[in-house]
Amino acid sequence: MVREKGGPFTFEDLALDTALRPDEVLVRVVASGLCQTDIHVRDQHLPTPLPAVLGHEGAGIVERVGDAVTMVTPGDRVVMSYQACGHCTPCLTGKPAYCARSFPANFGGSRLDGTNALHAESVEVHGHFFGQSSFATHALATERNVVRIDDEEIPLELLGPLGCGLQTGAGAVLNSLKVEAGSSVVVIGTGTVGLAAVMAAVVAGASTVVAVDIVPERLDLARELGATHTVNGREEDTAARIAEITGGGADYVLEITARPEMLTLAVDALAPLGTAALIGGAPAGAHAPVNMNALLGGRTVRGIAQGDSVPQLFIPQLIDLYRAGRFPFDRLITFYGFDDINEAATDTQTGAAIKPVLRIGE
């Protein structure tokens, strides 16, 4: 649990309501990825109320289900993903990542009706983070945000990050942008999301895949995962180098760092009719200047949430690609004991680990 802004993750015994609502699923957590979003909330760059139990890339075993749940049963292996209301127009038209109540559903610190299943004796605790709060031995999810995993050969502890970071990067390429074979793709930022995008661009058949970062080790890994070119933004003129590699401009540029100047660069780096996609979550109120005349060349700027993924459909597809050796996301993962969560958080911030995964239970 995080008790105060910038404070450490602490271990505390909390009570969890035992009576499940009809759509709820109680999951014994086996492992959970730690994401930069968890750090942003800890530091209150995103306004989830504290104290709170965070964690939103959980994987585990279903222990109990509510009376109306039909998609999973006790004993099923599941990955937990983002939450959505299930009733608004985006949800009903197959775009739950753009749920009209997405922010309160994922960052509100409670169920959508304002109630909370987590309790402590001395303080009000906020849970239901991304509909799961998976930095815990047990998570209370719903049928909407669990994905049954039928493949029992893949270790469950690997799979949690598929529920957020990996599906976001891969989905941006395969679902949102529908990158065509032979096209050019630039990925700015090679953390989990960016490297997932690199691997997906290779799957899509892009002929030019450019990875941009300032960490040499990550750029080396990007090449190993299929990037045809890398650009070290600390040592090279990024804009000039992209123009050189792509012959004047890229078909697609994915901006993942959430730095305003990088979105400006992403638009400037496009070929006519190209698309710049903003994927990284910037601090509230951030603005980026865009060359308006560049847009007259048919260029497009769009935001992407969760890779336009319907998790129950897309996560199994990513697992199939993994089994085929085409999406080796296990190369991004570093495992930590649950007790080492603060070390994992530090390593996330310093770049020492790309995707920390906490081993929580068996």
Side-chain angles (χ1 to χ4, degrees), residues 185 195 197-203 206-211 219-230 326 328 331:
V185 178
L195 290 172
V198 166
M199 291 186 285
V202 175
V203 169
S207 59
T208 302
V209 181
V210 185
L219 293 174
D220 291 342
L221 180 56
R223 274 197 177 271
E224 293 174 19
L225 294 174
T228 58
H229 302 78
T230 59
R326 303 180 66 198
R331 298 198 57 192

Side-chain angles (χ1 to χ4, degrees), residues 25 27 58-60 62 71-72 76-82 141-150 156 159 162-163 167 310-317 319:
V25 178
V27 178
V62 174
M71 293 178 64
V72 295
D76 283 346
R77 294 153 41 99
V78 294
V79 166
M80 292 176 278
S81 190
Y82 65 89
T142 69
E143 186 172 37
R144 289 185 303 282
N145 72 310
V146 296
V147 182
R148 189 180 69 219
I149 305 301
D150 294 325
L156 190 54
L159 301 181
L162 291 171
Q167 79 172 358
V310 176
Q312 290 80 3
L313 299 176
F314 191 54
I315 287 175
Q317 293 173 18
I319 291 174

Side-chain angles (χ1 to χ4, degrees), residues 84-91 95-105:
C85 78
H87 304 293
C88 66
T89 297
C91 284
K95 296 290 184 181
Y98 304 99
C99 172
R101 304 186 70 187
S102 178
F103 198 89

Side-chain angles (χ1 to χ4, degrees), residues 21 30 32-33 83 103 115 138 143 146 218 231 240 284 315 329:
R21 295 188 175 185
V30 170
S32 180
Q83 186 61 282
F103 198 89
T115 62
H138 289 78
E143 186 172 37
V146 296
R218 293 193 176 193
V231 178
I315 287 175
F329 66 87

